[in-house]
């Protein structure tokens, strides 16, 4: 037996070895290089196809400029407030779709599920006299159970999610029609729990400004303490100047929005609830183990399974979340028209929900996206709809324009993915 120990060759270039050990990803150092660092980072993102939400924000600015030049009422307080309320129903449903898209899957049943939820709440509260709060809870739980059922057939049985949810689209549409009966429409009390979801406004000016102040303060404190934790861990962090600049920009947007709402009816309850949902779901995805598991599955199912993740359970839970938010969105739609009817969940709703998620920046290929994408995407969709409506553009043309925007977004997403693969980041 050869007992001679293998000797470790000496380091030929100690300085190079030292540099290799201390080298840091330049993306982590950008904030320590001032404006030049940000410019370099922007060029790197442009080259790698990783611009985040910048294209969507630019698109919103273009939409505002174009429609305002065509009609001076587009940026009026009334129109912007109406946009904010209208977008909540679709936005809520888009939040659930984002969870599914992060897995690299799709759910085609959310429109029908939203209609079923509205029908359940209406039948229980109006036809059978059940307490409206209880009816709302039952409707939301029903959405969660329906989503979990879809997830079971997909994750446990192995049926394709596309086929399962397509079947769900048809089944739950028929179930909704059966619930509503021959009459087809059940009117809701505009002053009830569901009715006030989209009609209640906080009229005190302090409400809108107070929410803006809380949001700005929460953002600053979160960023500040996150930077402190990174410093304590010995990794690059945002400098205080960076945090202050971002906080000021947020403050300008938040207080401008508050001033706009106070010029009309006040702060809409619907928007407050939507923002709370976005904050909560963003925290779940970015700050919890469960959220990291979802991103991991979107990256590689097999690698996630080998890492010990219960793939089946996560998949079922994600489809249950999608069903839950579909039901919530359905209640907001019922509130908007003060009724549950046979047209609920039909038309272009499913397309708009998926479009909102994708246009906002969530990848159709899985593994990339945030729930805040729902806000940006639905703002684009609803702003285009309201702008075209102000110009008297016919509905068919609206469909074609919205479809064109969605196609352009999907193409950009595909090109971005290819660019990222070329840059070695996928």
């Amino acid at each position: 037996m050869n007992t001679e120990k293998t000797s470790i060759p000496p380091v030929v270039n100690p300085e190079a070895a030292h540099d290799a050990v201390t080298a840091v990803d330049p993306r982590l150092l950008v904030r320590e290089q001032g404006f030049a660092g940000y410019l370099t980072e922007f060029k790197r993102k442009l080259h790698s196809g990783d611009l985040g939400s910048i294209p969507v924000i630019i698109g919103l600015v273009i939409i505002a400029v174009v429609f305002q030049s065509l009609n001076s009422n587009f940026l009026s307080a009334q129109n912007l407030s109406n946009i904010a309320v209208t977008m909540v129903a679709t936005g809520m449903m888009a939040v659930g779709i984002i969870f599914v898209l992060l897995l690299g899957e799709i759910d085609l049943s959310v429109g029908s599920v939203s209609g079923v939820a509205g029908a359940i709440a209406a039948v229980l509260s109006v036809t059978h006299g059940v307490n409206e709060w209880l009816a709302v809870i039952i409707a939301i739980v029903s959405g969660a159970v329906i989503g979990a059922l879809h997830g079971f057939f997909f994750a446990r049985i192995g049926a394709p999610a596309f086929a399962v949810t397509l079947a769900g689209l048809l089944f739950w549409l028929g179930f909704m029609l059966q619930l509503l009966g021959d009459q087809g429409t059940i009117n809701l009390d505009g002053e009830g729990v569901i009715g006030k979801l989209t009609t209640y406004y906080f009229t005190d000016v302090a409400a809108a400004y107070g929410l803006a102040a809380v949001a700005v303060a929460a953002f600053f404190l979160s960023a500040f303490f996150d930077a402190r934790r990174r410093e304590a861990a010995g990794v690059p962090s945002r400098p205080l100047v960076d945090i202050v600049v971002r906080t000021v920009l947020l403050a300008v947007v938040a207080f401008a929005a508050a001033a706009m709402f106070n010029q009309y009816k006040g702060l809409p309850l619907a928007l407050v609830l939507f923002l709370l949902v976005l904050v909560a779901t963003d925290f779940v995805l970015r700050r919890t183990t469960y959220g990291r598991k979802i991103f991991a599955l979107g990256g590689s199912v097999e690698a996630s399974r080998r890492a010990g993740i219960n793939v089946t359970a996560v998949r079922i839970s994600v489809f249950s979340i999608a069903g839950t938010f579909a039901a919530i969105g359905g209640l907001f739609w019922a509130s908007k028209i003060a009724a549950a009817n046979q047209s609920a969940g039909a038309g272009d709703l499913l397309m708009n929900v998926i479009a909102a998620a994708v246009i906002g920046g969530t990848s159709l290929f899985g593994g990339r996206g945030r729930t805040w994408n729902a806000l940006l995407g639905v703002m684009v969709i609803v702003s285009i709809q309201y702008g075209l409506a102000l110009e008297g553009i016919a509905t068919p043309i609206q469909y074609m324009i919205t479809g064109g925007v969605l196609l352009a977004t999907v193409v950009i997403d595909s090109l971005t993915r290819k660019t990222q693969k070329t840059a070695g980041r996928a």
Side-chain angles (χ1 to χ4, degrees):
M1 179 181 296
N2 184 6
T3 59
E4 182 180 358
K5 295 182 179 179
T6 304
S7 60
I8 300 176
V11 177
V12 178
N13 190 343
E15 293 183 0
H18 175 72
D19 291 340
V21 172
T22 59
V24 179
D25 187 339
R27 290 173 294 178
L28 300 177
L29 297 175
V30 59
R31 302 178 185 93
E32 299 177 356
Q33 299 172 355
F35 178 78
Y38 280 103
L39 183 60
T40 302
E41 174 70 353
F42 178 78
K43 292 179 179 178
R44 183 195 65 78
K45 286 186 175 183
L46 184 64
H47 177 72
S48 63
D50 183 23
L51 291 178
S53 301
I54 294 177
V56 186
I57 295 173
I58 294 175
L60 282 171
V61 173
I62 294 174
I63 290 171
V65 171
V66 170
F67 285 121
Q68 179 66 14
S69 65
L70 295 174
N71 192 315
S72 59
N73 290 324
F74 181 78
L75 292 181
S76 66
Q78 179 178 352
N79 191 58
L80 292 178
S81 181
N82 289 336
I83 288 175
V85 174
T86 301
M87 71 182 188
V88 171
T90 304
M92 286 288 192
M93 298 171 68
V95 170
I97 279 290
I98 286 173
F99 275 80
V100 177
L101 291 178
L102 288 174
L103 294 181
E105 301 296 339
I106 193 67
D107 188 342
L108 301 178
S109 69
V110 291
S112 297
V113 174
S114 70
V116 167
I120 289 175
V123 168
L124 289 177
S125 61
V126 177
T127 305
H128 297 290
V130 175
N131 177 274
E132 195 170 6
W133 277 107
L134 179 59
V136 167
I137 293 173
I138 293 174
I140 294 175
V141 172
S142 298
V145 172
I146 291 172
L149 182 63
H150 295 162
F152 172 81
F153 283 107
F154 164 58
R156 179 67 69 179
I157 306 300
F162 178 90
V164 170
T165 56
L166 179 59
L169 181 155
L170 298 173
F171 181 87
W172 300 116
L173 175 60
F175 185 69
M176 177 193 70
L177 298 177
Q178 185 68 27
L179 282 177
L180 294 175
D182 297 333
Q183 185 176 0
T185 299
I186 299 177
N187 294 322
L188 297 170
D189 180 10
E191 295 300 316
V193 175
I194 298 176
K196 287 186 176 180
L197 287 176
T198 56
T199 61
Y200 186 84
Y201 292 79
F202 297 97
T203 55
D204 192 332
V205 296
Y209 288 123
L211 179 62
V214 169
V216 172
F219 175 82
F220 175 80
L221 293 175
S222 175
F224 178 76
F225 286 113
D226 182 65
R228 293 288 297 270
R229 285 193 295 269
R230 292 178 66 87
E231 289 178 1
V235 296
S237 60
R238 296 186 190 276
L240 182 60
V241 174
D242 184 353
I243 296 174
V244 171
V245 169
R246 289 170 178 263
T247 303
V248 170
L249 291 176
L250 176 62
V252 170
V253 174
F255 282 97
M260 178 274 296
F261 286 127
N262 284 332
Q263 289 178 20
Y264 184 50
K265 292 182 178 180
L267 179 65
L269 171 64
L271 182 62
V272 175
L273 296 176
F274 186 34
L275 293 176
L276 289 175
V277 164
L278 291 176
V279 171
T281 52
D282 182 69
F283 177 84
V284 169
L285 283 178
R286 296 175 58 239
R287 302 289 184 179
T288 67
T289 302
Y290 175 72
R292 288 191 286 272
K293 289 178 180 178
I294 294 176
F295 280 106
L297 279 176
S300 173
V301 175
E302 186 58 32
S304 300
R305 184 178 288 109
R306 293 182 179 183
I309 295 176
N310 189 332
V311 174
T312 300
V314 173
R315 281 175 163 176
I316 293 175
S317 66
V318 165
F319 276 87
S320 180
I321 289 172
T324 300
F325 281 108
I328 294 173
L331 294 176
F332 275 92
W333 276 121
S335 174
K336 185 67 177 175
I337 63 175
N341 60 32
Q342 294 179 341
S343 63
D348 61 345
L349 178 58
L350 174 62
M351 181 195 73
N352 286 338
V353 170
I354 297 175
V358 177
I359 290 173
T362 303
S363 175
L364 283 169
F365 301 99
R368 191 181 80 241
R370 295 180 60 179
T371 51
W372 286 100
N373 296 149
L375 174 62
L376 294 174
V378 77
M379 285 176 66
V380 171
I381 295 292
V382 179
S383 295
I384 291 175
Q385 291 175 343
Y386 267 70
L388 294 175
L390 285 175
E391 293 304 304
I393 304 298
T395 301
I397 304 300
Q398 295 184 30
Y399 285 171
M400 288 188 285
I401 292 176
T402 305
V405 173
L406 176 58
L407 176 61
T409 305
V410 172
V411 170
I412 292 173
D413 182 35
S414 300
L415 294 176
T416 297
R417 185 175 176 85
K418 291 181 180 179
T419 304
Q420 290 179 342
K421 284 184 177 180
T422 303
R425 300 189 61 237

Short mmCIF file of all heavy atoms in Angstrom, two decimals, residues 303-353:
data_model
loop_
_atom_site.label_atom_id
_atom_site.label_comp_id
_atom_site.label_asym_id
_atom_site.label_seq_id
_atom_site.Cartn_x
_atom_site.Cartn_y
_atom_site.Cartn_z
N ALA A 303 -34.85 19.05 -8.77
CA ALA A 303 -33.89 19.54 -7.77
C ALA A 303 -34.61 19.83 -6.46
O ALA A 303 -34.06 19.57 -5.37
CB ALA A 303 -33.19 20.79 -8.29
N SER A 304 -35.83 20.37 -6.54
CA SER A 304 -36.59 20.66 -5.32
C SER A 304 -36.95 19.38 -4.59
O SER A 304 -36.87 19.30 -3.36
CB SER A 304 -37.87 21.43 -5.68
OG SER A 304 -37.56 22.65 -6.32
N ARG A 305 -37.33 18.36 -5.33
CA ARG A 305 -37.67 17.08 -4.71
C ARG A 305 -36.46 16.47 -4.01
O ARG A 305 -36.56 15.96 -2.90
CB ARG A 305 -38.21 16.12 -5.78
CG ARG A 305 -38.68 14.79 -5.22
CD ARG A 305 -39.24 13.89 -6.29
NE ARG A 305 -40.55 14.35 -6.76
CZ ARG A 305 -40.79 14.90 -7.93
NH1 ARG A 305 -39.78 15.05 -8.80
NH2 ARG A 305 -41.99 15.28 -8.26
N ARG A 306 -35.30 16.55 -4.66
CA ARG A 306 -34.08 16.01 -4.05
C ARG A 306 -33.64 16.82 -2.83
O ARG A 306 -32.95 16.29 -1.96
CB ARG A 306 -32.96 15.97 -5.08
CG ARG A 306 -33.21 14.97 -6.21
CD ARG A 306 -32.06 14.93 -7.19
NE ARG A 306 -32.29 13.94 -8.24
CZ ARG A 306 -31.41 13.66 -9.20
NH1 ARG A 306 -30.24 14.29 -9.22
NH2 ARG A 306 -31.70 12.76 -10.10
N ALA A 307 -34.06 18.09 -2.79
CA ALA A 307 -33.72 18.94 -1.64
C ALA A 307 -34.66 18.69 -0.46
O ALA A 307 -34.50 19.31 0.59
CB ALA A 307 -33.76 20.41 -2.04
N GLY A 308 -35.63 17.81 -0.64
CA GLY A 308 -36.52 17.46 0.46
C GLY A 308 -37.82 18.22 0.50
O GLY A 308 -38.58 18.13 1.46
N ILE A 309 -38.12 18.98 -0.55
CA ILE A 309 -39.36 19.74 -0.59
C ILE A 309 -40.52 18.80 -0.95
O ILE A 309 -40.41 17.99 -1.87
CB ILE A 309 -39.26 20.88 -1.63
CG1 ILE A 309 -38.21 21.90 -1.19
CG2 ILE A 309 -40.61 21.57 -1.82
CD1 ILE A 309 -37.98 23.01 -2.20
N ASN A 310 -41.62 18.94 -0.23
CA ASN A 310 -42.81 18.15 -0.52
C ASN A 310 -43.50 18.79 -1.73
O ASN A 310 -44.35 19.68 -1.59
CB ASN A 310 -43.75 18.13 0.69
CG ASN A 310 -44.90 17.15 0.52
OD1 ASN A 310 -45.33 16.86 -0.60
ND2 ASN A 310 -45.41 16.64 1.63
N VAL A 311 -43.14 18.34 -2.90
CA VAL A 311 -43.62 18.94 -4.14
C VAL A 311 -45.13 18.89 -4.24
O VAL A 311 -45.79 19.87 -4.61
CB VAL A 311 -42.96 18.25 -5.36
CG1 VAL A 311 -43.56 18.78 -6.65
CG2 VAL A 311 -41.46 18.46 -5.33
N THR A 312 -45.71 17.75 -3.91
CA THR A 312 -47.16 17.59 -4.01
C THR A 312 -47.91 18.58 -3.13
O THR A 312 -48.86 19.24 -3.57
CB THR A 312 -47.56 16.16 -3.64
OG1 THR A 312 -46.92 15.23 -4.53
CG2 THR A 312 -49.07 15.98 -3.72
N ALA A 313 -47.47 18.71 -1.89
CA ALA A 313 -48.15 19.60 -0.95
C ALA A 313 -48.05 21.06 -1.39
O ALA A 313 -49.03 21.81 -1.31
CB ALA A 313 -47.56 19.43 0.46
N VAL A 314 -46.89 21.46 -1.85
CA VAL A 314 -46.71 22.85 -2.29
C VAL A 314 -47.58 23.14 -3.50
O VAL A 314 -48.24 24.19 -3.58
CB VAL A 314 -45.23 23.13 -2.60
CG1 VAL A 314 -45.08 24.53 -3.22
CG2 VAL A 314 -44.38 23.03 -1.34
N ARG A 315 -47.61 22.22 -4.44
CA ARG A 315 -48.43 22.42 -5.64
C ARG A 315 -49.91 22.54 -5.30
O ARG A 315 -50.61 23.43 -5.79
CB ARG A 315 -48.20 21.27 -6.62
CG ARG A 315 -46.91 21.38 -7.41
CD ARG A 315 -46.70 20.14 -8.27
NE ARG A 315 -45.71 20.37 -9.32
CZ ARG A 315 -45.27 19.44 -10.16
NH1 ARG A 315 -45.75 18.20 -10.05
NH2 ARG A 315 -44.40 19.73 -11.09
N ILE A 316 -50.40 21.65 -4.46
CA ILE A 316 -51.81 21.70 -4.07
C ILE A 316 -52.12 23.01 -3.37
O ILE A 316 -53.14 23.66 -3.63
CB ILE A 316 -52.17 20.50 -3.19
CG1 ILE A 316 -52.10 19.20 -3.99
CG2 ILE A 316 -53.57 20.66 -2.58
CD1 ILE A 316 -52.34 17.95 -3.18
N SER A 317 -51.23 23.42 -2.48
CA SER A 317 -51.47 24.66 -1.73
C SER A 317 -51.47 25.88 -2.64
O SER A 317 -52.24 26.82 -2.45
CB SER A 317 -50.40 24.82 -0.64
OG SER A 317 -49.11 25.01 -1.20
N VAL A 318 -50.61 25.87 -3.66
CA VAL A 318 -50.55 27.01 -4.59
C VAL A 318 -51.85 27.12 -5.38
O VAL A 318 -52.39 28.22 -5.55
CB VAL A 318 -49.34 26.87 -5.53
CG1 VAL A 318 -49.47 27.81 -6.73
CG2 VAL A 318 -48.06 27.17 -4.78
N PHE A 319 -52.38 26.01 -5.86
CA PHE A 319 -53.65 26.07 -6.59
C PHE A 319 -54.79 26.44 -5.66
O PHE A 319 -55.76 27.09 -6.08
CB PHE A 319 -53.92 24.73 -7.28
CG PHE A 319 -53.25 24.61 -8.62
CD1 PHE A 319 -51.95 24.14 -8.71
CD2 PHE A 319 -53.91 24.99 -9.77
CE1 PHE A 319 -51.31 24.05 -9.94
CE2 PHE A 319 -53.29 24.89 -11.01
CZ PHE A 319 -51.98 24.43 -11.10
N SER A 320 -54.68 26.07 -4.40
CA SER A 320 -55.68 26.48 -3.42
C SER A 320 -55.63 28.00 -3.22
O SER A 320 -56.67 28.66 -3.09
CB SER A 320 -55.46 25.76 -2.09
OG SER A 320 -56.42 26.15 -1.13
N ILE A 321 -54.43 28.55 -3.19
CA ILE A 321 -54.27 30.01 -3.07
C ILE A 321 -54.89 30.70 -4.29
O ILE A 321 -55.57 31.73 -4.15
CB ILE A 321 -52.78 30.37 -2.93
CG1 ILE A 321 -52.27 29.93 -1.56
CG2 ILE A 321 -52.55 31.87 -3.13
CD1 ILE A 321 -50.76 30.07 -1.40
N ALA A 322 -54.65 30.14 -5.47
CA ALA A 322 -55.23 30.72 -6.68
C ALA A 322 -56.75 30.71 -6.61
O ALA A 322 -57.41 31.69 -6.98
CB ALA A 322 -54.75 29.96 -7.91
N GLY A 323 -57.33 29.61 -6.12
CA GLY A 323 -58.78 29.54 -5.97
C GLY A 323 -59.30 30.53 -4.95
O GLY A 323 -60.37 31.14 -5.13
N THR A 324 -58.54 30.72 -3.87
CA THR A 324 -58.94 31.68 -2.84
C THR A 324 -59.02 33.09 -3.39
O THR A 324 -60.01 33.81 -3.18
CB THR A 324 -57.94 31.64 -1.67
OG1 THR A 324 -57.92 30.33 -1.10
CG2 THR A 324 -58.34 32.64 -0.59
N PHE A 325 -57.98 33.50 -4.11
CA PHE A 325 -57.98 34.86 -4.64
C PHE A 325 -58.95 35.01 -5.81
O PHE A 325 -59.46 36.11 -6.06
CB PHE A 325 -56.57 35.26 -5.05
CG PHE A 325 -55.72 35.66 -3.88
CD1 PHE A 325 -54.69 34.83 -3.43
CD2 PHE A 325 -55.95 36.84 -3.20
CE1 PHE A 325 -53.93 35.19 -2.34
CE2 PHE A 325 -55.20 37.21 -2.11
CZ PHE A 325 -54.17 36.38 -1.67
N ALA A 326 -59.24 33.92 -6.52
CA ALA A 326 -60.28 33.98 -7.54
C ALA A 326 -61.63 34.27 -6.88
O ALA A 326 -62.43 35.07 -7.39
CB ALA A 326 -60.33 32.67 -8.32
N ALA A 327 -61.89 33.62 -5.75
CA ALA A 327 -63.13 33.84 -5.03
C ALA A 327 -63.22 35.27 -4.51
O ALA A 327 -64.27 35.93 -4.59
CB ALA A 327 -63.25 32.86 -3.87
N ILE A 328 -62.12 35.77 -3.97
CA ILE A 328 -62.10 37.15 -3.47
C ILE A 328 -62.36 38.13 -4.62
O ILE A 328 -63.15 39.08 -4.49
CB ILE A 328 -60.76 37.45 -2.79
CG1 ILE A 328 -60.60 36.61 -1.52
CG2 ILE A 328 -60.65 38.95 -2.44
CD1 ILE A 328 -59.24 36.72 -0.87
N GLY A 329 -61.70 37.89 -5.75
CA GLY A 329 -61.95 38.74 -6.91
C GLY A 329 -63.39 38.67 -7.36
O GLY A 329 -63.98 39.69 -7.76
N GLY A 330 -63.99 37.48 -7.28
CA GLY A 330 -65.39 37.34 -7.65
C GLY A 330 -66.32 38.16 -6.77
O GLY A 330 -67.31 38.73 -7.24
N LEU A 331 -65.99 38.25 -5.49
CA LEU A 331 -66.80 39.06 -4.57
C LEU A 331 -66.68 40.54 -4.92
O LEU A 331 -67.66 41.30 -4.84
CB LEU A 331 -66.36 38.81 -3.13
CG LEU A 331 -66.62 37.40 -2.59
CD1 LEU A 331 -66.06 37.26 -1.18
CD2 LEU A 331 -68.12 37.08 -2.60
N PHE A 332 -65.49 40.96 -5.33
CA PHE A 332 -65.32 42.36 -5.73
C PHE A 332 -66.08 42.66 -7.02
O PHE A 332 -66.64 43.75 -7.18
CB PHE A 332 -63.84 42.69 -5.88
CG PHE A 332 -63.17 43.08 -4.60
CD1 PHE A 332 -62.53 42.13 -3.81
CD2 PHE A 332 -63.18 44.39 -4.17
CE1 PHE A 332 -61.92 42.48 -2.62
CE2 PHE A 332 -62.58 44.76 -2.97
CZ PHE A 332 -61.95 43.80 -2.20
N TRP A 333 -66.10 41.68 -7.95
CA TRP A 333 -66.88 41.89 -9.16
C TRP A 333 -68.36 41.96 -8.85
O TRP A 333 -69.10 42.79 -9.43
CB TRP A 333 -66.61 40.77 -10.16
CG TRP A 333 -65.40 40.98 -11.00
CD1 TRP A 333 -64.30 40.17 -11.09
CD2 TRP A 333 -65.14 42.08 -11.88
NE1 TRP A 333 -63.37 40.71 -11.96
CE2 TRP A 333 -63.87 41.87 -12.46
CE3 TRP A 333 -65.87 43.22 -12.24
CZ2 TRP A 333 -63.31 42.77 -13.36
CZ3 TRP A 333 -65.31 44.11 -13.14
CH2 TRP A 333 -64.05 43.88 -13.70
N ALA A 334 -68.83 41.10 -7.96
CA ALA A 334 -70.24 41.14 -7.56
C ALA A 334 -70.57 42.48 -6.91
O ALA A 334 -71.65 43.04 -7.12
CB ALA A 334 -70.54 39.99 -6.60
N SER A 335 -69.63 43.00 -6.13
CA SER A 335 -69.83 44.30 -5.50
C SER A 335 -69.90 45.41 -6.54
O SER A 335 -70.69 46.34 -6.43
CB SER A 335 -68.69 44.58 -4.51
OG SER A 335 -68.78 45.89 -3.99
N LYS A 336 -69.07 45.29 -7.57
CA LYS A 336 -69.00 46.35 -8.60
C LYS A 336 -70.32 46.49 -9.33
O LYS A 336 -70.75 47.61 -9.64
CB LYS A 336 -67.87 46.00 -9.58
CG LYS A 336 -67.61 47.07 -10.63
CD LYS A 336 -67.04 48.34 -10.01
CE LYS A 336 -66.72 49.36 -11.09
NZ LYS A 336 -66.27 50.65 -10.49
N ILE A 337 -70.99 45.38 -9.62
CA ILE A 337 -72.26 45.43 -10.36
C ILE A 337 -73.46 45.24 -9.44
O ILE A 337 -74.61 45.24 -9.91
CB ILE A 337 -72.30 44.38 -11.47
CG1 ILE A 337 -72.21 42.96 -10.88
CG2 ILE A 337 -71.17 44.60 -12.47
CD1 ILE A 337 -72.35 41.85 -11.93
N ALA A 338 -73.19 45.09 -8.12
CA ALA A 338 -74.24 44.93 -7.11
C ALA A 338 -75.15 43.74 -7.43
O ALA A 338 -76.36 43.78 -7.18
CB ALA A 338 -75.07 46.20 -6.98
N ALA A 339 -74.57 42.68 -7.98
CA ALA A 339 -75.37 41.50 -8.32
C ALA A 339 -74.46 40.33 -8.63
O ALA A 339 -73.26 40.50 -8.92
CB ALA A 339 -76.27 41.79 -9.51
N ALA A 340 -75.03 39.14 -8.58
CA ALA A 340 -74.38 37.93 -9.08
C ALA A 340 -75.20 37.47 -10.27
O ALA A 340 -76.40 37.22 -10.13
CB ALA A 340 -74.34 36.85 -8.01
N ASN A 341 -74.58 37.42 -11.45
CA ASN A 341 -75.35 37.04 -12.63
C ASN A 341 -74.59 36.04 -13.49
O ASN A 341 -73.45 35.68 -13.19
CB ASN A 341 -75.76 38.27 -13.46
CG ASN A 341 -74.55 39.06 -13.93
OD1 ASN A 341 -73.48 38.50 -14.19
ND2 ASN A 341 -74.72 40.37 -14.04
N GLN A 342 -75.23 35.60 -14.57
CA GLN A 342 -74.68 34.53 -15.39
C GLN A 342 -73.45 34.95 -16.19
O GLN A 342 -72.72 34.09 -16.68
CB GLN A 342 -75.77 34.02 -16.35
CG GLN A 342 -76.93 33.34 -15.65
CD GLN A 342 -78.00 32.87 -16.61
OE1 GLN A 342 -78.08 33.34 -17.74
NE2 GLN A 342 -78.85 31.96 -16.16
N SER A 343 -73.22 36.24 -16.32
CA SER A 343 -72.06 36.70 -17.08
C SER A 343 -70.80 36.81 -16.22
O SER A 343 -69.72 37.10 -16.73
CB SER A 343 -72.35 38.06 -17.72
OG SER A 343 -72.57 39.05 -16.71
N ALA A 344 -70.95 36.56 -14.91
CA ALA A 344 -69.80 36.67 -14.00
C ALA A 344 -68.72 35.66 -14.38
O ALA A 344 -69.00 34.49 -14.63
CB ALA A 344 -70.25 36.44 -12.57
N GLY A 345 -67.50 36.13 -14.45
CA GLY A 345 -66.38 35.25 -14.75
C GLY A 345 -66.21 34.94 -16.21
O GLY A 345 -65.28 34.20 -16.59
N ALA A 346 -67.08 35.47 -17.06
CA ALA A 346 -67.01 35.18 -18.49
C ALA A 346 -66.33 36.32 -19.24
O ALA A 346 -65.70 37.19 -18.64
CB ALA A 346 -68.42 34.93 -19.03
N GLY A 347 -66.47 36.33 -20.56
CA GLY A 347 -65.89 37.40 -21.36
C GLY A 347 -64.37 37.37 -21.35
O GLY A 347 -63.74 36.32 -21.43
N ASP A 348 -63.79 38.55 -21.20
CA ASP A 348 -62.33 38.69 -21.26
C ASP A 348 -61.68 38.66 -19.89
O ASP A 348 -60.50 38.98 -19.76
CB ASP A 348 -61.96 39.98 -21.97
CG ASP A 348 -62.49 41.21 -21.24
OD1 ASP A 348 -63.36 41.05 -20.36
OD2 ASP A 348 -62.04 42.33 -21.55
N LEU A 349 -62.41 38.25 -18.85
CA LEU A 349 -61.87 38.30 -17.49
C LEU A 349 -60.63 37.43 -17.34
O LEU A 349 -59.59 37.88 -16.82
CB LEU A 349 -62.93 37.88 -16.47
CG LEU A 349 -62.46 37.85 -15.01
CD1 LEU A 349 -61.95 39.21 -14.57
CD2 LEU A 349 -63.59 37.38 -14.09
N LEU A 350 -60.70 36.17 -17.77
CA LEU A 350 -59.56 35.27 -17.64
C LEU A 350 -58.35 35.82 -18.37
O LEU A 350 -57.23 35.81 -17.84
CB LEU A 350 -59.92 33.88 -18.17
CG LEU A 350 -58.77 32.87 -18.23
CD1 LEU A 350 -58.22 32.60 -16.83
CD2 LEU A 350 -59.23 31.57 -18.90
N MET A 351 -58.57 36.32 -19.59
CA MET A 351 -57.47 36.88 -20.36
C MET A 351 -56.84 38.06 -19.62
O MET A 351 -55.61 38.20 -19.55
CB MET A 351 -57.95 37.34 -21.74
CG MET A 351 -56.85 37.92 -22.61
SD MET A 351 -57.48 38.84 -24.03
CE MET A 351 -58.09 40.33 -23.22
N ASN A 352 -57.69 38.93 -19.05
CA ASN A 352 -57.17 40.10 -18.36
C ASN A 352 -56.38 39.73 -17.11
O ASN A 352 -55.39 40.38 -16.77
CB ASN A 352 -58.31 41.04 -17.99
CG ASN A 352 -58.86 41.79 -19.19
OD1 ASN A 352 -58.19 41.93 -20.20
ND2 ASN A 352 -60.09 42.27 -19.08
N VAL A 353 -56.84 38.69 -16.41
CA VAL A 353 -56.14 38.26 -15.20
C VAL A 353 -54.74 37.75 -15.53
O VAL A 353 -53.75 38.15 -14.90
CB VAL A 353 -56.95 37.16 -14.47
CG1 VAL A 353 -56.13 36.54 -13.35
CG2 VAL A 353 -58.25 37.74 -13.91
#
